[in-house]
Amino acid sequence: MKQFATYMQPIASALRNTPETQISRYNPVGSYGGAEGGSIFIRGMGLSRPGSEIKTYIDNVPMYMPIWNHALLDLLPVNGMKDITIYKSAQPQVNGNNFASINMNTKSAGPGNGLSGNARVSYGSFNTVIEQVDMAGRHDDVDFNLAQGFSKSNGQRANASGQLSNIMGGLGLKLDRNWSVGVSGMAINNTATDPGNNTLPAPAIAPTYDSAAQMVTAFVKHQYDAVEGEFRFYSNTGKGNFNNDNGAGGWGTENNPFTMQGFRWKENITPWTGGSLVLGLDYDTSYGSVTQSRVGPPVTGTVKTNLPTFKLTSPYVGLSHNMKVSDAWSLQPSAGVRTYQNNYYASKAAPYGGLSLISDRATLFANASKGINYPGLEGPAMNAANAVWTQAFGATANNSWANLSPEEMNHIEVGGKFYPDKKSRIDLSLFQDAISNRATFTEAGPVVNWVSIGQYTTKGVELSGQREIIPELTGFLGWTYLNNNSTVNLPYMPQNAFNAALTGYVYKFRVSVDAQFQTSIYTQNLARNSGFTNTTKVDGFAVANARASYPVPELGKKGEVFVMIENIFNQQYSYRQGYPMPGTWGSIGLSASFN
């Protein structure tokens, strides 16, 4: 599912209206860590910690925290992005090593010569300030893009503050009518504070989480009548550091610098009329270190551990053919496979296949795919995180993580897309995801023992519809039902969830209203520690938000003054017990553009 990126909101807010997608956070701006303080969940995937079933990408290359093998939402800036695509199941023909994924594409210059840009600034409740600028241009065979963003907030209660800043850009050169080259870069720096459980005494020093990343890519593209492709090299460095998390069970002060490097090569070929062949190769390496510092009791000390380098090679191929079966209908079968070779774990293969019956009024489909999710650096990182304790108790860490098997998902989905008329669309999906070889561990004192024994099955239904109510005013309504047979309480998986939205123009005002309702959920991420039982639950809630803008032509074609209101009806809700989200709050701002 593709969404066009919008200004003035973090990715968690941008995705909140997507059916089958849940979020968790503490603060209006900034994510505290990659667990409950800032997570995203897709059809119940992404709930495990350490490690996650969801991977996140920018321009199709990985951008997440490899040491703990999960996404960091603050490393995914929305400003400067053209669109966001959500893959709700394993898609071996698109990317690998996940059960679901999110890809964000950066903006680029249009086809003609010229320069265009946008700027927005807003101020709101809790001293929340957001500022964003982007521009793109082209002159003959040279194009470029630049974007910059900054946001900060004091938060709705003490120690709920956060600050995000980023800058990104790209430069491209067209060599001839078929070939082009380019480079891109991005720098991100963020901090967020843990407001703490409001039923417990506040710590003397509030814990903070600092995240940062630097991404550099270089690419070569070609495009002919029957063949087009891209080779893209990338290098990411970054960190995700806990500071002063000295409470019971806390992380202390922990520094997690990381590096990810590799490449993406993909070719799309049209071998005959109606046929499509895709083939490619992904290669990824990741490494880093963990420096753990604890200030007792019961232990005090600092230990730095360099983690091993993990390497994953993943070639893939897929073939589809669209054939006419009547004047109104066509049939499109597709099949393919992605294979994996890892320098620590067993090789695996992930086949997929599908069949679609397509017409102007409806598309009926059925597909099946296997998802493979390799353990990442979280195995040796757990040993490193316990190193202070291991040293204090004279214990010896083991390498049981090296005996794990890749997690597997068998996905089946059937459904349809229906177009009753030119103003309406209805989508229906029924799906099943069977998870096996889930990595879990037990702890004997500070020593971690990993095994691959976890399994569960999730079944669900997604139904959504949209309709142009009147010219330039469209409504959307979605419903998701999820059920699972797990023997443990899977978090952030409401049995029923509804999404509604209304967007368009009322006179000269552009109006957007959205609402979400979900039933009660278990919270806190599903620990891989088999000794932990998740019994924490929060009530269901309904939250509505709105944005209204009025054009200001003096500020350009997209110039406007706007007002945003979150939680219109002042509902009390939370994503974790003791961490209430803000009541009604809002902001006002200005947008400007030029071209």
Side-chain angles (χ1 to χ4, degrees):
M1 181 174 184
K2 179 173 287 188
Q3 290 190 342
F4 291 100
T6 55
Y7 281 95
M8 313 306 289
Q9 52 185 338
I11 188 171
S13 297
L15 298 178
R16 67 188 175 198
N17 262 325
T18 304
E20 302 173 308
T21 301
Q22 304 293 320
I23 63 170
S24 172
R25 56 180 178 176
Y26 297 161
N27 307 339
V29 171
S31 297
Y32 181 77
E36 302 87 0
S39 295
I40 185 167
F41 313 93
I42 303 172
R43 290 182 174 176
M45 302 300 165
L47 46 79
S48 298
R49 292 296 184 276
S52 173
E53 302 84 4
I54 294 175
K55 297 294 191 299
T56 50
Y57 304 83
I58 295 178
D59 290 333
N60 299 307
V61 300
M63 175 58 85
Y64 57 89
M65 162 52 82
I67 290 179
W68 298 107
N69 202 18
H70 59 67
L72 290 180
L73 296 187
D74 288 352
L75 300 187
L76 303 171
V78 173
N79 66 292
M81 298 298 164
K82 177 178 65 175
D83 57 48
I84 304 169
T85 303
I86 306 168
Y87 299 101
K88 299 180 181 179
S89 61
Q91 304 280 330
Q93 76 280 19
V94 177
N95 53 48
N97 195 29
N98 62 65
F99 294 164
S101 61
I102 298 171
N103 180 61
M104 306 172 69
N105 288 312
T106 54
K107 290 182 178 180
S108 58
N113 284 347
L115 180 67
S116 63
N118 305 277
R120 296 196 181 190
V121 62
S122 72
Y123 179 81
S125 306
F126 322 126
N127 196 30
T128 301
V129 177
I130 303 178
E131 168 268 319
Q132 297 171 344
V133 179
D134 72 83
M135 66 176 63
R138 180 183 299 277
H139 180 71
D140 296 334
D141 295 332
V142 179
D143 67 270
F144 79 94
N145 63 85
L146 290 171
Q148 174 269 331
F150 174 82
S151 57
K152 75 175 187 69
S153 177
N154 292 341
Q156 75 277 20
R157 60 190 182 109
N159 300 324
S161 60
Q163 180 173 302
L164 314 176
S165 58
N166 61 79
I167 187 169
M168 64 190 79
L171 181 66
L173 173 64
K174 190 172 183 180
L175 301 177
D176 57 33
R177 61 178 299 181
N178 303 116
W179 290 83
S180 61
V181 297
V183 295
S184 66
M186 180 181 301
I188 305 166
N189 193 50
N190 317 296
T191 186
T193 305
D194 181 3
N197 189 323
N198 65 358
T199 66
L200 301 175
I205 301 176
T208 61
Y209 187 79
D210 298 334
S211 60
Q214 301 79 40
M215 169 186 276
V216 177
T217 76
F219 63 84
V220 178
K221 296 182 180 181
H222 65 86
Q223 185 172 10
Y224 293 86
D225 291 341
V227 181
E228 63 176 289
E230 176 183 287
F231 179 90
R232 184 180 293 261
F233 167 82
Y234 75 92
S235 178
N236 301 338
T237 59
K239 67 177 183 179
N241 297 345
F242 287 97
N243 303 298
N244 301 310
D245 187 12
N246 294 316
W251 292 96
T253 292
E254 182 181 279
N255 296 327
N256 298 292
F258 65 82
T259 298
M260 303 175 70
Q261 295 176 330
F263 63 81
R264 294 290 185 270
W265 171 58
K266 185 175 185 179
E267 299 289 332
N268 290 292
I269 304 170
T270 304
W272 58 79
T273 301
S276 178
L277 173 66
V278 59
L279 53 90
L281 175 65
D282 297 347
Y283 176 74
D284 302 301
T285 64
S286 57
Y287 57 92
S289 66
V290 175
T291 301
Q292 179 80 30
S293 299
R294 288 288 307 181
V295 178
V299 296
T300 297
T302 297
V303 177
K304 178 180 179 180
T305 305
N306 292 317
L307 304 179
T309 298
F310 277 24
K311 301 177 183 180
L312 182 64
T313 305
S314 181
Y316 60 96
V317 61
L319 181 65
S320 66
H321 178 67
N322 187 292
M323 65 188 83
K324 278 284 189 179
V325 295
S326 72
D327 291 339
W329 292 88
S330 63
L331 188 67
Q332 182 170 309
S334 60
V337 64
R338 177 184 287 265
T339 64
Y340 299 90
Q341 296 79 43
N342 186 282
N343 65 326
Y344 276 92
Y345 300 107
S347 297
K348 291 288 182 177
Y352 69 90
L355 187 65
S356 297
L357 187 61
I358 305 166
S359 77
D360 292 338
R361 300 296 297 271
T363 296
L364 305 176
F365 65 86
N367 60 63
S369 63
K370 177 179 283 290
I372 301 294
N373 188 39
Y374 274 84
L377 294 170
E378 68 270 23
M382 279 294 294
N383 285 348
N386 285 347
V388 174
W389 297 83
T390 304
Q391 187 180 79
F393 288 99
T396 301
N398 64 44
N399 292 326
S400 57
W401 53 267
N403 299 321
L404 290 172
S405 298
E407 297 176 326
E408 299 186 14
M409 177 179 79
N410 289 309
H411 170 77
I412 301 174
E413 185 166 356
V414 298
K417 303 175 183 179
F418 308 94
Y419 306 90
D421 54 47
K422 293 182 178 180
K423 298 181 179 181
S424 306
R425 171 174 169 168
I426 299 171
D427 290 80
L428 173 66
S429 293
L430 294 86
F431 60 89
Q432 175 179 290
D433 295 324
I435 311 299
S436 60
N437 287 342
R438 182 174 183 270
T440 63
F441 64 83
T442 58
E443 288 185 293
V447 179
V448 179
N449 297 289
W450 289 87
V451 291
S452 296
I453 59 173
Q455 59 184 1
Y456 61 90
T457 298
T458 298
K459 298 179 180 181
V461 179
E462 178 185 345
L463 176 63
S464 65
Q466 64 181 49
R467 168 80 179 175
E468 185 182 65
I469 302 169
I470 58 175
E472 296 189 320
L473 187 65
T474 301
F476 171 86
L477 182 63
W479 167 62
T480 303
Y481 171 81
L482 295 173
N483 194 14
N484 68 83
N485 67 352
S486 175
T487 57
V488 297
N489 299 320
L490 299 183
Y492 302 104
M493 192 183 291
Q495 188 170 64
N496 289 283
F498 295 87
N499 303 80
L502 189 67
T503 59
Y505 287 89
V506 179
Y507 299 104
K508 289 188 177 183
F509 290 91
R510 178 166 177 79
V511 177
S512 176
V513 180
D514 66 82
Q516 306 84 43
F517 167 78
Q518 64 182 44
T519 52
S520 61
I521 55 173
Y522 288 95
T523 61
Q524 299 185 243
N525 289 279
L526 183 60
R528 295 187 184 274
N529 189 331
S530 59
F532 289 177
T533 302
N534 183 17
T535 60
T536 306
K537 199 172 186 180
V538 297
D539 294 334
F541 58 82
V543 177
N545 315 283
R547 182 186 189 276
S549 63
Y550 188 82
V552 182
E554 293 80 4
L555 296 177
K557 185 181 296 186
K558 298 180 182 179
E560 62 180 8
V561 59
F562 61 88
V563 176
M564 296 193 299
I565 302 176
E566 302 260 344
N567 195 359
I568 297 172
F569 303 109
N570 199 34
Q571 296 295 297
Q572 296 183 8
Y573 72 105
S574 65
Y575 298 108
R576 178 180 178 180
Q577 285 186 1
Y579 284 77
M581 292 302 294
T584 301
W585 65 290
S587 60
I588 185 170
L590 289 172
S591 300
S593 68
F594 69 90
N595 54 13

